[in-house]
Every structure is written in structure tokens, then in C-alpha cells.
Amino acid sequence: MAQPGELGDFLKSRRARLQPEDVGTRSFGARRRVPGLRREELAQLAGVSVAYYVRLEQGNADNVSDGILDSISRVLKLDHDEHAHLHRLAHPPRREPVQPPARLRAPLQHLLDSVTFAPAYIVGHYTNVVAWNRLTSAIFVDLAEVEPEERTWTHQIHLNADYRERLGDNWETVARRNVAYLRFRSGEDPGDPRLTSLISTMRERSDEFRELWSEHLVNDVTSGEARIHHPEVGQLVLPFEALHLPRDAELSRLMMYAAEPGSPSERALRTLAETSTHRSSADLHTP
């Protein structure tokens, strides 16, 4: 069964960002009381009746075919992640048993600690940081000093003023990316109690998170660029890649960063690697 509110809200949000000229059609009437593509216009372009489309926005997706969803996705100009999200909202995946607490195999921590000139860490399915190397704490947040229940990037991005200051003008980009990922995850695993609790907490504690959540941003995080203004070494520009860990179902991915060879950022990383006294996750368990 579809997620009624989620499906309707997502479709409405994507209609609102389009105008008739965006999809090569004429407007129905001269005056438009609300911004965006009208239901009638979308239905016509997607090849379905208005009544049928209205039922979809009301959350009634029983027996809707993949072909119709694909057609609606095409008209709404959804990207790859949004397209997949629409299908998951209409046909939610079956719930698997709740994942056990994330466990870290020793070789993974050894791998992290072997990365000495760039930050690297492992996250679970809730943006929770399960393990990290020393440069992660030196550059982003001193995770060893964060309470375990708030050791998530979601908490740090939206509630940690010091980290926000390091992000500077790039904070909004990072915040939007984080919210879009949580929406992506909520489609992958609807009703997950831990994910639902995290989102609910952020909506209560952060006005900005709540506003971004209402935009229905959807995107996985597979690669990108971190920009950090570090108090000791200045501006850092660090491209990153997300690597999946197929053997570890309770873990989401390994995040690896690297500065451009010969760049000021690379030199800054080496300086931090040689001078920082920050701890990795392995140090927390060392007597």
C-alpha cells in the first residue's frame, strides 16, 4: 500500500516547480491561482485521466502500473533518485526486520587508521558515524567528544553551531544534501522506527531542518565535495566518494576524501596529520 501523505505531497511538490512552458504545453486559462503545473495539465501529458491522477495525489496507488509512474516521472522531469523514490512511495518495499546495532569488523577499523593523510569514516543507515580515523575528527567534528546518541551527521549539521561555522557559506548545500538523503532513506525503508525518530527529532529541534524537509528533496549521497574553513589551516576543498560495504548489511558506506594532488588542501592535510592529537574511534577503546 502506498504512503498516502508522502506520495501526494511529493507529487504536489514536483508539480509546483514546473510551468506549462517547461513541458511544452499551453496553460489552461490566463490566471493561475497557485504556482506550478496543474493536475489537468499533468494528467493530459502523462496520458491518464484527471480523476485517476487525483486519486494518486490522494495516495490511492493500488494497481498503478510502473508504466504510468514512468510517464508521470517523465512529465515531472524527475531525476534518477526522484524517479526511484516515486516508485517506492507508490509501491513501498516490504519491511525487513529492524537492523541490529551496527557492528564493526576489526579490518575495517584497521583500514580507516591506515588512511593517515585524509579523513575517512564509516556510517550506518541513519547518518550515524560508526567508526572514523583521526583526520575526520581533526577536520570536521571531534567525534570522540560527542555523545553517542548524537554522533550522527544529521545532528552535527543542524544542531552543532561550531560545525556550522566551519561549513560557512557551504552550510546550506550540506544541509540540503543531508535532508535529501534522509528523504531518500525514508523511501527505501518506510516506517523504520529509528529513522522516523531521527527525522521527528530534527523537525522538532531545528526550524531550518523542518523547512527543508517540507521541500521533499530526494537524493542519495554517492560523491561530492566538502568545503571546510579550518581554524588552523584555512580553507579545505576535499572531493569525496561513498563506497558501499556489501558484506556489512547494518553499515551504509565508507566515506573517503582526498585533496587534489599538489593543492593547498593536500598540504594542509599533511600538516594536520603531523600535528593533530585528535582521536580515532579505535582510540576510544584503547585503555
Side-chain angles (χ1 to χ4, degrees):
M1 182 178 294
Q3 303 178 60
E6 287 289 317
L7 176 59
D9 289 346
F10 180 67
L11 288 170
K12 291 172 188 175
S13 72
R14 291 312 179 262
R15 276 200 299 113
R17 70 182 183 181
L18 293 175
Q19 297 298 327
E21 53 268 27
D22 296 327
V23 293
T25 189
R26 292 183 178 182
S27 173
F28 285 102
R31 298 183 60 188
R32 306 183 74 84
R33 291 180 296 174
V34 294
L37 203 63
R38 290 174 176 168
R39 290 170 171 172
E40 296 88 344
E41 294 163 339
L42 193 154
Q44 182 184 58
L45 291 167
V48 299
S49 70
V50 176
Y52 187 92
Y53 179 75
V54 169
R55 288 198 298 273
L56 282 180
E57 282 204 358
Q58 292 173 342
N60 184 359
D62 292 346
N63 301 318
V64 62
S65 70
D66 288 344
I68 288 177
L69 293 174
D70 290 344
S71 182
I72 292 172
S73 176
R74 174 184 53 78
V75 175
L76 292 175
K77 299 183 180 298
L78 303 186
D79 64 22
H80 177 271
D81 289 338
E82 291 171 330
H83 175 85
H85 187 66
L86 174 62
H87 277 264
R88 285 194 290 264
L89 291 179
H91 303 301
R94 293 183 177 182
R95 289 273 295 123
E96 297 293 332
V98 176
Q99 293 284 357
R103 296 181 180 274
L104 188 75
R105 292 183 290 113
L108 291 176
Q109 182 67 64
H110 299 159
L111 173 63
L112 291 177
D113 290 332
S114 71
V115 182
T116 57
F117 292 109
Y121 56 85
I122 292 172
V123 289
H125 295 290
Y126 313 97
T127 75
N128 51 311
V129 188
V130 178
W132 62 93
N133 67 355
R134 293 185 179 185
L135 276 188
T136 296
S137 280
I139 292 169
F140 301 116
V141 177
D142 190 352
L143 293 165
E145 300 299 322
V146 175
E147 293 296 325
E149 62 270 19
E150 295 198 352
R151 201 176 284 155
T152 79
W153 288 122
T154 302
H155 280 86
Q156 299 311 307
I157 291 165
H158 299 280
L159 302 177
N160 185 334
D162 291 337
Y163 185 44
R164 180 167 184 159
E165 184 177 353
R166 289 198 181 195
L167 291 172
D169 294 341
N170 199 41
W171 179 85
E172 184 176 353
T173 297
V174 174
R176 294 177 73 85
R177 186 164 61 205
N178 171 258
V179 172
Y181 173 72
L182 290 178
R183 179 75 71 176
F184 179 86
R185 281 284 298 117
S186 70
E188 282 190 321
D189 201 355
D192 181 293
R194 186 171 173 184
L195 184 62
T196 300
S197 176
L198 174 63
I199 294 167
S200 177
T201 296
M202 289 300 111
R203 293 177 71 181
E204 291 175 2
R205 296 179 63 181
S206 170
D207 292 340
E208 289 166 313
F209 182 95
R210 185 165 57 250
E211 182 177 346
L212 289 173
W213 186 255
S214 70
E215 294 183 24
H216 287 263
L217 308 168
V218 181
N219 195 22
D220 195 3
V221 179
T222 56
S223 62
E225 185 178 80
R227 291 180 174 269
I228 295 287
H229 184 73
H230 195 276
E232 298 175 20
V233 296
Q235 188 73 16
L236 292 168
V237 180
L238 304 174
F240 67 81
E241 295 289 336
L243 308 177
H244 288 277
L245 302 168
R247 180 178 169 182
D248 303 271
E250 70 276 20
L251 302 176
S252 177
R253 55 199 70 186
L254 166 64
M255 305 297 295
M256 302 286 291
Y257 294 73
E260 189 72 23
S263 67
S265 293
E266 184 185 49
R267 293 190 290 273
L269 288 181
R270 290 188 173 273
T271 297
L272 285 174
E274 293 167 358
T275 61
S276 174
T277 59
H278 287 81
R279 293 180 290 171
S280 74
S281 51
D283 295 326
L284 298 185
H285 310 292
T286 302

